[in-house]
Amino acid sequence: MAKYDENQIQVLEGLEAVRKRPGMYIGSVSERGLHHLVYEIVDNSVDEALAGYCTEINVEILPDNVITVQDNGRGVPLGMHHKVHKPAIEVVYTILHAGGKFGGGGYKVSGGLHGVGGSVVNALSEWMSVQSCNGDGLYEISFERGKVTEELHKISDSKKTGTKVTFKADSQIFDTTIYNADTLIQRFREMAFLNKGLKITFWDKREEGTEQLVFHYEGGLKSFVEYLNKSKEPINKDIIYFETEQNDVQVEVALQYTSAYSENILSFVNNIHTAEGGTHLDGFKRGLTKAFNDYARNFNILKEKDPNLQGEDIREGITAIVSVRVLEPQFEGQTKTKLGNSNVTGIVSSITNSKISIYLEENPQIAKAILEKTISASRAREAARKARELVRRKSALESTTLPGKLADCQSKDASKCEIYIVEGDSAGGSAKQGRDRRFQAILPLWGKMINVEKTRADKIYNNDKLSPVIVALGAGIGNDFNEEKLRYHKIILMADADVDGAHIRTLLLTFFFRYMRPLIENGYVYIAQPPLFKLAKRGMEDVYCYNEADLEIKLKELEEKGIARDSLTMQRYKGLGEMDSEQLWETTMNPEKRILVKVELEDAIKADEIFSVLMGENVEPRRKFIEENAKYVTNLDI
Ligand code: 28G
């Protein structure tokens, strides 16, 4: 690595720009943007790890939602910047370096260019303090809303090296400054998987009696695959793994086949999850398909006259992680999570092809088992095509093919239409009565729970629980999914806040994730939030509260208006069924008053994970999971 020179830091723009338009730099000022602050700082430590100087990152949430991040890297440089005559550490935290990840042009180049996000986080923090140890002393500099409040000064002697950043997000900027520990945990676990050997610890110290969590995987991506497949039955017991670099593109892949029918490939670029895939994922698929076809031809499993095996059949039951590091990634797509660099396809494809070819030749038993699965997948696909055609033909003949239980809306303008998918017939009845039938449709769900993981597409078409959903939405599934045919642009899941409700939500999210992913990627899916409490008093309009915190706030508000707590009757709703149609409309369906939570891709990935564990065939992980996550599963926040 070239020797660091303080003058390399470019002087570009002040931090007022960041406070004026925070969304440009961190995406949004919602809860998501808030968590982004932490990722930006942790990214700087990860960059230091990628440079080869940092092995451990500690993250803590302190009381009052203060964050500290500490690493054991070289420490942010303290020397004077020749042009601006300020210490480098101050320059790093007060001057904006690039256009930012979320617009404004340039994208962050990972691997060496530290501190790009540091100034952004500083600008959006009520206060921040940065400590750096350079081997002979511990130094500190402090800021408020991006401005220096305490110049760089030495605190003590110290032989250590590393950086510690402490900050409090600015409540003037963010909708909320309360962190969700689960969100952070998920990301840190993922980062530890993606950077093998890197130890990330996390401790939520907002309440007493909590423990430190450690994420540290010597197996890296292999451990990631192991984690995803913990409740599945492997075909190749030893996970296939390779890591190579070609023309400045680093490629790292781990994969394992299981007896499942689904395809589970996660792709990453510079540690960023590329939900929309891109050239690296295309290259991986292409290389995999070629390796299997060449092998099948060479060993006469495919005869001369046989057509090639299809990629999607070859990928049935696969769990894979494709992680690449690229110098100047170009991100495209609706959510800017699709890699565009065209040279990457060929690189990943040729590496994958050669590594998988070698593997297949060395492991003929496994090659045979996978190919047998591929062939039955292709038969099932053929059967699914026929089932689909049957559905199409039916719809050509019958005038009304919509599911019988669907109470459709009057409007045919999908952009204005909503469908409520409701668990339970009684809630379904109230919803039908309470709705605004001009634009709200209701589909009550009944029938047996199905295991999406263990079911091929042909069976899904015939499943009594899912087929009404497919037909009502009107856009098809899998490769045939066509967003333009969608009949409603809001798909709202409405279920109770109990285990059964969590189950049905998880099932539907998993189903959408696997078979109608654009629904989630493009933000069509929502979760309705029915109230948990009602406060009533004679002569007062009923007050609905949506969670415990909301209840507390509203009780206080009423008290301020002179309405005492003990003069109120409080009803706790156990299920949607307890509300009559008018109440359901007022609290949960009226667009003016209701609370809808948009489902993000991460929610669906989490649901998919939960589903694999809950519905997988291994009993032990399921039992353990339910024990560990009892709280989570019963809470309504999946
Ligand atoms: C604890 C929370 C977040 C960091 C470093 C280490 C260096 C550095 C950070 O340099 C300037 C500009 C572009 C390379 C680099 C130290 C070289 C030599 C560093 C962190 C230099 C910033 N010695 N560790 N920044 N760059 N950890 N953790 O922020 O060219 S930021």
Side-chain angles (χ1 to χ4, degrees):
M1 198 194 197
K3 199 180 170 300
Y4 165 64
D5 169 9
E6 276 86 6
N7 297 308
Q8 282 168 4
I9 299 172
Q10 277 183 300
V11 179
L12 291 172
E13 210 178 332
L15 295 187
E16 303 76 41
V18 181
R19 289 184 64 84
K20 255 186 221 140
R21 308 183 66 187
M24 286 267 294
Y25 300 89
I26 49 155
S28 75
V29 292
S30 65
E31 191 176 310
R32 179 178 263 244
L34 176 77
H35 289 81
H36 218 96
L37 299 182
V38 184
Y39 306 151
E40 285 292 345
I41 298 300
V42 172
D43 270 355
N44 290 335
S45 298
V46 171
D47 282 350
E48 186 66 357
L50 287 173
Y53 298 97
C54 160
T55 56
E56 203 170 320
I57 306 171
N58 304 298
V59 185
E60 294 182 358
I61 315 179
L62 304 178
D64 204 22
N65 287 283
V66 168
I67 296 284
T68 86
V69 181
Q70 182 163 17
D71 70 41
N72 64 350
R74 290 167 292 182
V76 184
L78 304 164
M80 275 290 171
H81 188 283
H82 293 212
K83 277 193 205 136
V84 291
H85 303 289
K86 285 176 179 170
I89 188 168
E90 179 178 334
V91 176
V92 164
Y93 281 91
T94 52
I95 291 167
L96 205 50
H97 295 87
K101 283 194 239 183
F102 294 91
Y107 286 98
K108 183 168 143 176
V109 181
S110 205
L113 190 68
H114 296 95
V116 169
S119 57
V120 171
V121 178
N122 188 19
L124 303 176
S125 293
E126 208 178 290
W127 57 265
M128 176 185 261
S129 122
V130 184
Q131 298 186 344
S132 176
C133 291
N134 62 359
D136 52 51
L138 162 61
Y139 295 81
E140 185 186 56
I141 181 166
S142 308
F143 312 88
E144 277 178 30
R145 302 196 161 96
K147 300 227 158 69
V148 178
T149 51
E150 247 187 303
E151 302 285 351
L152 181 65
H153 58 284
K154 187 167 177 179
I155 295 204
S156 63
D157 286 342
S158 169
K159 293 221 154 50
K160 290 187 193 159
T161 67
T163 307
K164 179 171 169 176
V165 175
T166 309
F167 67 93
K168 170 141 180 69
D170 194 346
S171 56
Q172 292 176 356
I173 302 274
F174 292 95
D175 298 342
T176 171
T177 52
I178 302 172
Y179 295 93
N180 179 329
D182 285 332
T183 304
L184 294 174
I185 288 168
Q186 220 182 311
R187 176 69 184 140
F188 297 147
R189 181 189 290 121
E190 185 179 274
M191 290 192 118
F193 281 137
L194 291 168
N195 299 281
K196 70 165 165 259
L198 176 62
K199 183 169 168 185
I200 303 180
T201 67
F202 173 73
W203 197 342
D204 183 355
K205 290 181 166 168
R206 286 174 297 185
E207 275 167 40
E208 273 162 51
T210 57
E211 281 174 43
Q212 189 183 53
L213 301 175
V214 180
F215 303 106
H216 184 204
Y217 305 102
E218 284 306 339
L221 297 191
K222 268 196 201 182
S223 309
F224 202 162
V225 168
E226 210 173 287
Y227 171 80
L228 293 172
N229 282 350
K230 64 181 169 245
S231 65
K232 294 181 187 166
E233 197 186 290
I235 290 178
N236 54 311
K237 220 171 138 290
D238 293 326
I239 294 165
I240 303 170
Y241 176 81
F242 50 90
E243 185 186 12
T244 327
E245 183 175 332
Q246 200 179 315
N247 300 344
D248 280 339
V249 178
Q250 291 173 33
V251 181
E252 193 182 354
V253 171
L255 72 103
Q256 186 176 46
Y257 277 90
T258 73
S259 63
Y261 296 131
S262 52
E263 160 184 337
N264 230 351
I265 308 178
L266 297 179
S267 64
F268 297 84
V269 176
N270 300 353
N271 289 334
I272 299 162
H273 178 209
T274 36
E276 297 172 282
T279 50
H280 55 329
L281 182 60
D282 296 345
F284 172 72
K285 290 180 178 176
R286 192 191 288 178
L288 190 76
T289 305
K290 181 154 172 26
F292 272 97
N293 272 300
D294 289 355
Y295 180 87
R297 295 239 179 253
N298 285 345
F299 290 85
N300 234 5
I301 297 161
L302 280 182
K303 309 279 180 286
E304 227 174 308
K305 58 172 175 35
D306 290 336
N308 266 350
L309 302 166
Q310 295 209 7
E312 62 175 300
D313 297 331
I314 291 169
R315 295 192 298 273
E316 185 183 277
I318 201 174
T319 299
I321 312 289
V322 179
S323 170
V324 300
R325 296 193 202 281
V326 179
L327 284 181
E328 285 185 52
Q330 277 143 29
F331 289 106
E332 304 173 342
Q334 287 211 27
T335 54
K336 291 268 179 274
T337 57
K338 182 176 183 182
L339 184 66
N341 305 47
S342 55
N343 63 321
V344 174
T345 310
I347 294 172
V348 180
S349 157
S350 78
I351 291 173
T352 304
N353 178 27
S354 77
K355 299 286 181 183
I356 297 295
S357 296
I358 294 168
Y359 180 87
L360 295 177
E361 296 216 13
E362 286 175 354
N363 298 275
Q365 289 301 339
I366 289 166
K368 186 166 167 255
I370 299 173
L371 283 167
E372 270 165 15
K373 191 166 164 52
T374 301
I375 287 159
S376 52
S378 112
R379 287 201 194 106
R381 191 166 41 76
E382 189 54 23
R385 192 181 57 77
K386 286 189 180 134
R388 247 185 344 255
E389 269 175 10
L390 213 67
V391 172
R392 284 207 195 106
R393 235 173 295 142
K394 254 196 219 154
S395 55
L397 292 175
E398 295 163 31
S399 58
T400 160
T401 53
L402 289 170
K405 292 227 176 189
L406 173 74
D408 208 2
C409 55
Q410 289 158 353
S411 169
K412 293 288 166 253
D413 176 355
S415 69
K416 299 199 170 63
C417 294
E418 309 177 345
I419 183 168
Y420 276 81
I421 303 180
V422 188
E423 165 72 343
D425 269 340
S426 77
S430 305
K432 278 182 191 179
Q433 292 218 313
R435 71 188 169 135
D436 184 334
R437 62 180 63 238
R438 287 173 302 178
F439 65 96
Q440 290 180 320
I442 310 293
L443 179 66
L445 271 199
W446 75 107
K448 233 184 78 187
M449 184 73 131
I450 182 177
N451 185 343
V452 180
E453 290 256 298
K454 295 234 69 190
T455 313
R456 280 179 169 136
D458 54 327
K459 294 279 170 7
I460 283 183
Y461 271 107
N462 299 324
N463 174 259
D464 58 356
K465 194 158 203 148
L466 293 178
S467 110
V469 178
I470 302 168
V471 179
L473 297 186
I477 62 171
N479 288 340
D480 296 332
F481 182 82
N482 180 354
E483 198 175 319
E484 278 162 29
K485 290 199 178 152
L486 199 56
R487 301 179 60 247
Y488 315 90
H489 282 190
K490 279 204 172 75
I491 298 155
I492 304 166
L493 312 185
M494 187 158 75
D496 289 336
D498 60 8
V499 181
D500 289 342
H503 236 112
I504 182 75
R505 261 194 307 277
T506 309
L507 164 75
L508 285 170
L509 289 185
T510 303
F511 172 61
F512 291 153
F513 176 69
R514 295 211 174 244
Y515 287 93
M516 304 185 182
R517 193 167 301 183
L519 277 192
I520 299 197
E521 284 170 349
N522 301 333
Y524 292 111
V525 185
Y526 298 81
I527 294 178
Q529 303 284 299
L532 283 183
F533 307 97
K534 181 174 91 174
L535 300 173
K537 185 188 162 89
R538 254 221 290 191
M540 178 190 88
E541 207 178 305
D542 292 346
V543 174
Y544 297 96
C545 314
Y546 291 83
N547 53 48
E548 313 271 344
D550 189 33
L551 173 67
E552 231 6 80
I553 291 169
K554 288 185 170 143
L555 282 171
K556 280 216 181 83
E557 279 173 7
L558 290 172
E559 245 166 4
E560 278 160 21
K561 287 187 220 155
I563 302 171
R565 286 176 186 227
D566 54 16
S567 73
L568 296 161
T569 53
M570 187 181 84
Q571 185 187 349
R572 194 191 173 98
Y573 289 115
K574 287 186 211 75
L576 295 162
E578 286 175 67
M579 272 181 273
D580 63 30
S581 55
E582 208 171 308
Q583 287 173 325
L584 201 56
W585 163 256
E586 277 305 309
T587 60
T588 318
M589 298 178 71
N590 179 354
E592 311 268 298
K593 296 187 184 165
R594 72 184 173 196
I595 301 175
L596 290 186
V597 176
K598 189 185 266 188
V599 173
E600 306 284 352
L601 193 66
E602 286 95 279
D603 303 320
I605 291 170
K606 183 88 191 152
D608 193 63
E609 240 175 76
I610 289 177
F611 199 84
S612 302
V613 180
L614 286 179
M615 299 296 281
E617 40 203 324
N618 293 344
V619 176
E620 185 52 22
R622 173 170 31 197
R623 193 189 54 75
K624 244 177 88 190
F625 184 89
I626 292 173
E627 263 172 31
E628 285 167 11
N629 292 277
K631 192 172 128 241
Y632 186 67
V633 175
T634 48
N635 272 348
L636 122 166
D637 54 18
I638 0 183

